[in-house]
Amino acid sequence: GPVSLTEVQILNNRTADGSDERWDEEGAGSGGSGGGARISAASLQILSSAILDNATGSGGDADGLAGQGGNGGGLLFNGVSLLVQNSTFARNATGNGGTADDFASGGRGGDGGGLHASSSTGDLVIESSTFSGNTTGAGGAGDVAPDGRGGHGGAISAYGPLQVRHSTIVSNAVARLDDDAPSALGGGLYSTTSIAIENSIVVGNQNAGAPDDCSGATTASFLLSSTDTGCPMGGPGALAVAPSDVFVTILEPLQDTGGPTPTHTLLPSSPAIDAGDCPLESTDQRGFPRPVDDPNTPDASNGCDIGATETQEGFVVRASDDGPIEAGGLALSLAPNPATGPASVSLRAEPGERVTVEVLDVRGRRIRVLHEGAVPPDGLALRVDGLPTGVYLVRAVTDTATTSTRLTV
């Protein structure tokens, strides 16, 4: 029957490695599949959930048939239809293939670093979700016979048609044992049949260190990706960027930016801002309004951003070192306040001293870390968005001093 997981966290799980071949067996065991969870159901919905830091086991070694790495580092799904919505799969991994002896081939690495899904008849849909930092295992070494291939699909391996909408697929990877081993496919996305991509970021994924975003993708619109990395870039609204620019001009690191799951928000200069199309969407992955039109940025369609998150009308925090101050001194000021749009925070601190700038709610709970480290001489611009209307405390802390100011949004 149908299964639904809502606001669930699946963290830090691992399946067992396959057993090595014994003298009375034919072949080694494979690693367990479904590092975070293994679900067989007619239909599965994963809503507003985080599946983080899970792994499958590696295949066992053998004189003959080596074991395979387990599939689905975060999740393995067997069924008819799957919907992943407003969720994050991050830092999950599949196991390596086992090593073979006696003229046999090595085992393959596990498929689907974040998610391995199989459906021959139903829909496999990823919507308003993030897949970041997931990896597949390498194949095992063969003995004269070929080495095993690496696992397909660093983020997602789909045995059936896959649809990706309003999502961010970044920094995932597939591996191979060495340059002579068979190559894995799809550093980001892999499907045995087809992939349709809408209003999504699929960039900065790798195959044994080389850029590789898609394998099996057939159609795309309002896609931010790179040329020659497997994703179709001829559709409407396509934006081509260099893989090296992902965390320079496009995305912030994965972190808590509001909502129930960690996400990558867009940098203030990101080309994805107002470059997308989402006519049927009213919220982003975090539950924040979408679209939010930036009046200073030309619209590609309806003012929607590309990817899983929508840049909000928040306030901008600007920290700057304005020159020498007394030892242990710390100064923090904010204007305008109350803030209905951009605001700035001016910060002065002892040169070279570590400073943490954070936002607290009225109960004193830390909800954002805006900066942690030394303040560069030329200043630092930080953006925070999506704060609900209310009263907050912006606080700066060093080893020797603490200061704060109240912010009303």
Side-chain angles (χ1 to χ4, degrees):
V3 175
S4 182
L5 304 178
T6 303
E7 294 190 0
V8 170
Q9 291 188 336
I10 302 176
L11 314 174
N12 300 305
N13 300 287
R14 191 182 190 280
T15 60
D17 293 334
S19 59
D20 294 339
E21 182 183 36
R22 300 185 308 187
W23 67 271
D24 58 344
E25 295 177 332
E26 294 185 4
S30 294
S33 291
R38 180 172 184 164
I39 298 176
S40 296
S43 65
L44 171 64
Q45 292 186 336
I46 299 175
L47 310 175
S48 302
S49 295
I51 300 179
L52 314 175
D53 301 300
N54 303 285
T56 63
S58 294
D61 299 334
D63 288 336
L65 184 63
Q68 302 174 355
N71 296 328
L75 174 73
L76 182 139
F77 169 69
N78 287 310
V80 177
S81 63
L82 168 69
L83 172 64
V84 176
Q85 187 178 69
N86 300 334
S87 297
T88 293
F89 286 63
R91 301 182 302 273
N92 302 289
T94 62
N96 298 320
T99 298
D101 206 346
D102 199 18
F103 304 99
S105 299
R108 66 161 177 81
D111 293 337
L115 167 67
H116 179 77
S118 177
S119 175
S120 58
T121 58
D123 294 326
L124 302 174
V125 178
I126 311 299
E127 187 171 83
S128 298
S129 293
T130 298
F131 283 72
S132 177
N134 302 286
T135 57
T136 63
D143 180 44
V144 181
D147 300 330
R149 67 162 174 84
H152 295 329
I156 302 169
S157 171
Y159 284 20
L162 176 65
Q163 301 174 47
V164 178
R165 307 169 185 155
H166 318 300
S167 293
T168 298
I169 316 294
V170 63
S171 295
N172 305 282
V174 295
R176 63 193 300 186
L177 181 64
D178 53 42
D179 291 342
D180 296 325
S183 180
L185 299 175
L189 303 173
Y190 168 79
S191 173
T192 57
T193 55
S194 65
I195 306 173
I197 305 172
E198 300 175 21
N199 201 63
S200 294
I201 295 171
V202 186
V203 71
N205 304 287
Q206 294 191 339
N207 186 334
D212 182 13
D213 294 313
C214 298
S215 178
T218 52
T219 63
S221 61
F222 296 93
L223 166 66
L224 189 151
S225 188
S226 301
T227 57
D228 301 322
T229 60
C231 295
M233 296 299 291
L239 286 178
V241 298
S244 58
D245 286 344
V246 173
F247 295 111
V248 178
T249 62
I250 303 167
L251 294 171
E252 297 276 9
L254 188 72
Q255 57 190 323
D256 177 8
T257 63
T261 60
T263 54
H264 292 281
T265 52
L266 300 178
L267 286 165
S269 60
S270 177
I273 294 175
D274 286 4
D277 180 59
C278 56
L280 302 180
E281 301 300 302
S282 59
T283 58
D284 70 1
Q285 177 176 338
R286 303 166 295 176
F288 297 161
R290 152 168 274 183
V292 175
D293 189 22
D294 183 345
N296 299 314
T297 303
D299 295 344
S301 178
N302 65 342
C304 184
D305 297 347
I306 299 178
T309 64
E310 185 79 7
T311 301
Q312 305 293 306
E313 293 181 345
F315 61 89
V316 176
V317 177
R318 300 188 183 278
S320 62
D321 183 351
D322 293 329
I325 56 175
E326 295 180 4
L330 189 66
L332 181 73
S333 61
L334 186 148
N337 192 9
T340 57
S344 64
V345 172
S346 297
L347 174 70
R348 290 196 298 142
E350 186 77 12
E353 190 169 18
R354 285 184 62 84
V355 180
T356 298
V357 184
E358 56 193 1
V359 180
L360 311 178
D361 66 12
V362 292
R363 296 183 180 181
R365 297 174 298 189
R366 186 167 70 176
I367 59 174
R368 303 283 173 85
V369 176
L370 306 180
H371 175 71
E372 193 167 18
V375 177
D378 58 351
L380 179 68
L382 306 170
R383 186 180 184 94
V384 60
D385 58 19
L387 287 178
T389 300
V391 178
Y392 300 89
L393 195 69
V394 180
R395 182 170 68 179
V397 181
T398 70
D399 291 337
T400 58
T402 300
T403 188
S404 61
T405 185
R406 190 172 71 172
L407 168 68
T408 302
V409 177

